[in-house]
Every structure is written in C-alpha cells, then in structure tokens.
Amino acid sequence: MSSRIYVVAIGLALISAAPLGAHHSFTATYFQDKTITVEGDIVQFLFRNPHSFVQIEEQTPSGPVRWSIEWGASGSLAQQGVVRDIFKAGDHVVVTGSPSRIADDHRMRLLSIVRPKDGWRWSGTYQ
C-alpha cells in the first residue's frame, strides 16, 4: 500500500509542476532596458491567457514586416478597459515596447499602444 501512495504522490508532484515550466521570464526574452517603437496595421489581436498578442504589419523600405507583440493576460487587460473587440483588422497603431533579444524574431513586449484615428491609448501596467 505504501508504494501505491508513493507513486500517486510523485504523479501529483509532476502534474502540479508542469505549468511552472511553461511560463517564461520576460527578462530572458526581452531587453527590459531598451524600447523600440513600431507603427503598422493590426493583422490579428489574440485576447487570451496567459498572455495576449497583437500582430501588426509594419511597412518598411524593404517590404512588410510582421511583428508579434506580447501583452498582458486577458483578465488583467479587461480590468483596465481592454476588451476582445477593441481592435479590428486594419486598425493603424503605434506600439512601443521592449524588443526581443533576437532581433530577427520581430517580437516585443508591449509597453504602450496608440490608435491615432480616435486617440485610444493604453500604457497601463501588468499584473
């Protein structure tokens, strides 16, 4: 009987530890001491947990570049007035954030976002 309890205890420990490995460190992924600004059109807004993402397409002299911009969790953003349908594909936005440590990834962690056509802006905090 004691070996069965031991096996169950190990199984529960492994299951409960699994989500810990799924979360990453922002400092390991992004330069926290640098910021960049990108301007482009919304391609997609993924309002979800554990992190939401804004996908935008920036027009550059060498052609379009698609950026993946990591934001906060949907629950936290909702408490700050950000809702699932806040953006529509084609909305023009200006985003400032912490750039990825790998420049070719075209990723950043969102610090602020502005939609110039109506002045909507967010520069809240992560919880």
Side-chain angles (χ1 to χ4, degrees):
M1 183 75 118
S2 65
S3 64
R4 183 178 284 163
I5 292 172
Y6 180 72
V7 170
V8 170
I10 289 175
L12 289 173
L14 290 172
I15 290 170
S16 65
L20 295 176
H23 197 84
H24 62 271
S25 163
F26 285 120
T27 304
T29 307
Y30 304 102
F31 287 111
Q32 299 296 301
D33 58 342
K34 297 179 182 178
T35 59
I36 58 172
T37 299
V38 175
E39 187 170 343
D41 296 334
I42 298 275
V43 175
Q44 185 177 33
F45 175 45
L46 302 169
F47 190 66
R48 63 184 191 187
N49 289 315
H51 304 278
S52 296
F53 282 84
V54 178
Q55 306 284 330
I56 71 168
E57 187 170 273
E58 174 189 35
Q59 297 303 320
T60 70
S62 56
V65 174
R66 187 167 177 159
W67 286 84
S68 182
I69 303 163
E70 191 167 358
W71 204 352
S74 61
S76 175
L77 292 173
Q79 291 176 356
Q80 298 174 59
V82 178
V83 294
R84 181 175 304 281
D85 62 352
I86 195 84
F87 299 115
K88 306 240 181 311
D91 280 352
H92 190 78
V93 293
V94 179
V95 181
T96 300
S98 301
S100 170
R101 291 185 176 275
I102 303 169
D104 290 342
D105 281 353
H106 298 104
R107 289 177 47 115
M108 75 170 81
R109 181 175 185 220
L110 191 143
L111 298 174
S112 70
I113 185 168
V114 176
R115 185 174 48 214
K117 76 176 181 183
D118 62 4
W120 183 89
R121 67 183 60 241
W122 181 92
S123 59
T125 59
Y126 293 93
Q127 296 178 353

